[in-house]
Amino acid sequence: MRLSWRDKLTRWDGKYTPYLIIAPFFLVFGVFGLYPLLYTAWVSLHDWQLIDGDQGFTGLANYAELLSDGNFWNALGNTVSLFLLSTVPQLFAALGLAALLDRGLRGRAFWRAGVLLPNVISVAAVALVFAQLYGRDFGIVNSLLGLVGVDPVDWRAETWASHLAISSMVMWRWVGYNALIYLAAMQSVPKDMYESAMLDGASRWRVFWSITVPSIRPTLLFTVIVSTIGGMQLFVEPQLFDPGGTATGTGGDDRQFQTLVMYLYEKGFRLFDAGYSSAIAWVLFLLILVVAMVNFAVTRRIASKG
């Protein structure tokens, strides 16, 4: 039977319209995501200066130099340390906060809006406040520690102290944001599952780990992946915490809290070595990919045990 032009149009619409709708996203991603990624890989294989441009093909020389660069390994260690100190407690705190917000609190709209407040405040303002809190001579934290007999801590000069200070800043900004994501997922869990468990005599703790956590597993995986990507690319908080200011990007006098992105910034935009900076960017990309996959596997295994 010969199809009419209307039937042909309907068939064409059903077959190709979805591709036309999603095509703009992939077009924009190709221009602003995939092309810069591949171009950075090309630049990393050259002696490429930010001002003078390409100085010649060097192959994997930038990567070989990177492996013997003490500052790179120092920045990598700082990045992993800050990631673990800020991301792991942050997600557990967000999970606990979401569980509290999911209960019948008075003024629940106020509390739910309030936890998002740290995330909408400018990060520059947050860094300014935390720099005052962690001041060596007149900071509130040192004053409180002095009440229990602890000597003043130079939070910007010592490695672990600076990591704790920066991690607390990151946690303060993102715990509420992740808590709201968890809360939205928790509210989609069928209430009859909770009622059945309570009738069987299960405790709240048991219900939380056996029903709530497994039920929101896709959301947990999402936040773990996103937090991993953000944690491994930490830049603004340590950069603003640096007593040398944003102009240096060394993360303290001894690079005690310089992250990989800060080192990339220093090489690329202070020393104008775009080739070396691109090599750091690609190593960081591969590192994030590996860590995100490991976190994905571990989180899925833990959540499925419930």
Side-chain angles (χ1 to χ4, degrees):
M1 183 179 68
R2 185 186 180 97
L3 296 175
S4 66
W5 67 270
R6 187 182 297 275
D7 293 332
K8 291 180 179 177
L9 184 61
T10 301
R11 178 176 293 183
W12 189 94
D13 178 57
K15 192 173 182 179
Y16 295 108
T17 297
Y19 294 103
L20 290 177
I21 293 174
I22 63 173
F25 166 79
F26 286 100
L27 184 62
V28 173
F29 171 75
V31 173
F32 296 102
L34 186 59
Y35 173 72
L37 187 67
L38 298 177
Y39 188 71
T40 302
W42 173 252
V43 172
S44 72
L45 301 176
H46 293 73
D47 177 12
W48 199 298
Q49 299 301 310
L50 198 61
I51 296 177
D52 299 329
D54 187 5
Q55 304 297 306
F57 182 77
T58 58
L60 297 176
N62 283 326
Y63 294 93
E65 184 180 348
L66 202 61
L67 295 177
S68 60
D69 184 351
N71 290 335
F72 166 75
W73 292 108
N74 173 69
L76 177 60
N78 290 336
T79 301
V80 173
S81 172
L82 286 168
F83 163 69
L84 292 175
L85 287 174
S86 62
T87 303
V88 177
Q90 173 195 144
L91 294 179
F92 277 105
L95 196 59
L97 184 59
L100 291 175
L101 292 173
D102 195 34
R103 301 176 69 175
L105 299 175
R106 285 187 176 182
R108 66 181 67 179
F110 170 78
W111 297 113
R112 291 174 182 178
V115 297
L116 193 61
L117 192 60
N119 194 249
V120 300
I121 297 176
S122 166
V123 64
V126 173
L128 186 63
V129 171
F130 274 78
Q132 297 299 316
L133 290 175
Y134 287 106
R136 184 188 61 183
D137 298 323
F138 306 105
I140 296 176
V141 176
N142 273 346
S143 298
L144 294 175
L145 291 176
L147 295 177
V148 294
V150 177
D151 293 332
V153 179
D154 193 344
W155 295 96
R156 294 184 177 184
E158 299 176 12
T159 301
W160 282 107
S162 61
H163 288 196
L164 289 173
I166 294 169
S167 298
S168 67
M169 194 189 318
V170 176
M171 287 180 60
W172 190 79
R173 287 195 66 218
W174 293 103
V175 165
Y177 174 82
N178 286 314
L180 286 186
I181 294 177
Y182 289 148
L183 177 62
M186 287 177 183
Q187 294 193 326
S188 66
V189 180
K191 300 300 180 188
D192 55 350
M193 295 176 65
Y194 293 120
E195 292 170 358
S196 299
M198 298 301 285
L199 287 175
D200 290 339
S203 64
R204 286 188 179 276
W205 181 259
R206 177 68 177 171
V207 169
F208 179 73
W209 287 107
S210 298
I211 296 179
T212 305
V213 172
S215 298
I216 64 170
R217 185 173 59 179
T219 306
L220 288 172
L221 295 176
F222 169 76
T223 54
V224 166
I225 298 299
V226 171
S227 299
T228 300
I229 295 171
M232 296 299 290
Q233 297 185 71
L234 202 59
F235 175 70
V236 178
E237 287 87 351
Q239 184 83 345
L240 293 175
F241 195 71
D242 192 339
T246 57
T248 59
T250 57
D253 296 335
D254 296 325
R255 300 177 183 269
Q256 60 268 26
F257 55 90
Q258 185 182 46
T259 64
L260 274 180
V261 180
M262 292 173 71
Y263 190 47
L264 183 157
Y265 176 83
E266 179 191 358
K267 283 291 185 182
F269 296 97
R270 281 191 56 228
L271 305 176
F272 306 124
D273 191 346
Y276 197 76
S277 180
S278 298
I280 298 173
W282 256 91
V283 170
L284 179 61
F285 170 72
L286 296 175
L287 188 64
I288 290 173
L289 199 62
V290 171
V291 175
M293 290 176 66
V294 170
N295 280 350
F296 176 82
V298 171
T299 307
R300 188 171 63 173
R301 187 177 179 84
I302 292 174
S304 63
K305 283 185 177 178

